[in-house]
Amino acid sequence: MTIQWFPGHMAKARRQVTEKLKFIDIVFELVDARIPAASRNPMIDEIITNKPRLVLLNKADMADPRMTKEWISFYKKQGIHALAIDSQTGSGLKQIITSSKEILKEKFDKMAAKGIKPRAIRALIVGIPNVGKSTLINRLAKKNIAKTGDRPGVTKAQQWIKVGKELELLDTPGILWPKFEDQQVGQKLAVTGAIKDTIINLQDIAVYALTFLKEKYPNRLKERYNLDEYPEDIVSLFDEIGKRRGCMVSGGYIDYDKTAELILRELRSEKLGPISFEEPKEEVED
Ligand code: G4P
């Protein structure tokens, strides 16, 4: 699905998330571990006021583990709890409950001191489209979707998913918009597949990817495409890859669309290994 965010859409999405906040104790903010800043909603801090947050770096299996560690310590320095997870295999998910308990300890201790019966932690997952919200919910759910309409303060429309005894998730995640205006952000979202290919120029994105990889992961490109040396410019590199992979049109010319598609497909299916497109440093400089 291609989502275009108009001011009306944004206001509605924001309203929907805001309405759900009153039912929950904590927000799980899902971001893409390969682009933790670009895959964040730009207004998240204004939207999620007065609820604690746990940042989940999803798709960590596709990100550079060294960089993911840097991101986690970057968040930690700012007092933000963050975890690396892989919603597809379930790796790292157990830690979500442990961390949530830590974050909410004071609140639950206070409730206990007031004599309130212990209950499960209630959480809402939020994130931009394609970041893995449904995958995470399904992985955690294991078919434990419970209809609860009789709980005080909870409307009939809310459905909760039980995750063991200690956690309950609202079954519909909060969908927020990415920051489209910034060209670099758009390129990062496109290269990771968060923006559908029908609305982007594939060749531009492939050139962006090659430029980035040549600088940050030079050996991966060389190995994948059997290059001895790098051609002097990116267009020649594009040509070289097209030639080597037989992406040609009649007359011996390179088929640029086909080459771009191949590069992006291979990148997104991890043929070039786990790659991160953002360093926490850039964020600080911004
Ligand atoms: P959303 O609800 O936030 O929109 O995202 P969704 O769960 O639909 O996930 C989007 C794509 O990301 C899915 O791929 C899903 O399998 C993949 N995904 C989610 N979490 C992870 C993860 O931790 N690791 C990896 N490697 N992939 C993950 P898809 O089914 O192929 O969908 P599409 O790419 O064809 O849209």
Side-chain angles (χ1 to χ4, degrees):
M1 183 175 50
T2 301
I3 297 183
Q4 276 195 295
W5 294 96
F6 300 110
H9 284 146
M10 295 187 187
K12 190 174 172 209
R14 182 178 181 158
R15 202 164 50 240
Q16 284 173 342
V17 170
T18 308
E19 278 165 7
K20 287 177 177 155
L21 289 179
K22 56 178 174 283
F23 303 127
I24 53 120
D25 303 303
I26 186 166
V27 172
F28 296 155
E29 184 194 350
L30 216 54
V31 296
D32 186 320
R34 295 168 294 176
I35 48 167
S39 59
R40 235 182 155 206
N41 173 275
M43 290 175 73
I44 191 91
D45 294 332
E46 288 170 46
I47 299 172
I48 317 287
T49 48
N50 68 43
K51 287 287 169 184
R53 223 180 311 159
L54 174 60
V55 175
L56 300 174
L57 296 149
N58 193 39
K59 308 195 187 185
D61 54 306
M62 300 178 89
D64 185 337
R66 196 175 41 93
M67 205 52 76
T68 301
K69 264 193 196 148
E70 283 191 28
W71 273 103
I72 289 177
S73 50
F74 167 78
Y75 285 122
K76 205 171 168 188
K77 274 184 211 142
Q78 299 171 66
I80 301 171
H81 296 257
L83 294 175
I85 62 166
D86 169 357
S87 296
Q88 245 175 13
T89 63
S91 158
L93 301 197
K94 278 204 181 112
Q95 187 60 32
I96 293 178
I97 297 184
T98 319
S99 294
S100 303
K101 278 162 91 176
E102 262 171 52
I103 296 169
L104 291 165
K105 188 174 181 318
E106 209 175 310
K107 175 176 177 175
F108 276 69
D109 282 353
K110 272 188 191 155
M111 279 163 47
K114 283 187 196 155
I116 299 169
K117 229 174 89 189
R119 61 163 174 79
I121 290 171
R122 295 174 192 153
L124 168 69
I125 291 175
V126 302
I128 65 167
N130 232 15
V131 75
K133 298 177 297 299
S134 320
T135 310
L136 175 61
I137 291 178
N138 289 336
R139 190 83 212 178
L140 289 170
K142 296 180 197 140
K143 299 198 180 68
N144 276 330
I145 299 176
K147 266 196 186 146
T148 41
D150 56 351
R151 187 173 292 156
V154 176
T155 63
K156 288 228 185 307
Q158 301 296 338
Q159 284 207 14
W160 295 85
I161 294 165
K162 285 184 194 296
V163 185
K165 286 201 175 72
E166 298 177 300
L167 179 66
E168 286 179 8
L169 286 177
L170 269 180
D171 75 326
T172 41
I175 304 168
L176 294 170
W177 61 98
K179 190 169 145 193
F180 275 126
E181 318 87 70
D182 183 321
Q183 201 205 350
Q184 269 220 12
V185 172
Q187 284 168 328
K188 289 172 188 171
L189 289 167
V191 88
T192 53
I195 300 177
K196 292 293 167 204
D197 288 346
T198 44
I199 58 163
I200 58 170
N201 182 325
L202 281 187
Q203 291 182 27
D204 284 352
I205 301 306
V207 165
Y208 166 78
L210 288 183
T211 311
F212 175 85
L213 292 169
K214 188 180 166 201
E215 192 192 329
K216 301 284 183 183
Y217 297 90
N219 292 331
R220 306 265 188 102
L221 268 184
K222 277 191 179 169
E223 277 164 27
R224 180 74 198 162
Y225 300 109
N226 293 322
L227 308 165
D228 297 325
E229 284 307 319
Y230 271 112
E232 57 193 57
D233 57 55
I234 291 294
V235 176
S236 313
L237 175 60
F238 211 90
D239 286 353
E240 194 60 37
I241 294 174
K243 242 186 271 167
R244 280 174 187 267
R245 288 309 178 86
C247 302
M248 311 292 283
V249 283
S250 56
Y253 295 106
I254 307 289
D255 184 333
Y256 285 105
D257 275 336
K258 214 170 158 188
T259 310
E261 248 177 69
L262 174 122
I263 293 166
L264 293 176
R265 192 175 57 242
E266 298 206 337
L267 184 62
R268 290 173 187 162
S269 57
E270 285 181 276
K271 296 283 188 306
L272 289 117
I275 287 167
S276 294
F277 291 91
E278 267 177 346
E279 294 174 19
K281 274 201 296 292
E282 293 172 29
E283 260 286 89
V284 176
E285 281 161 15
D286 279 348

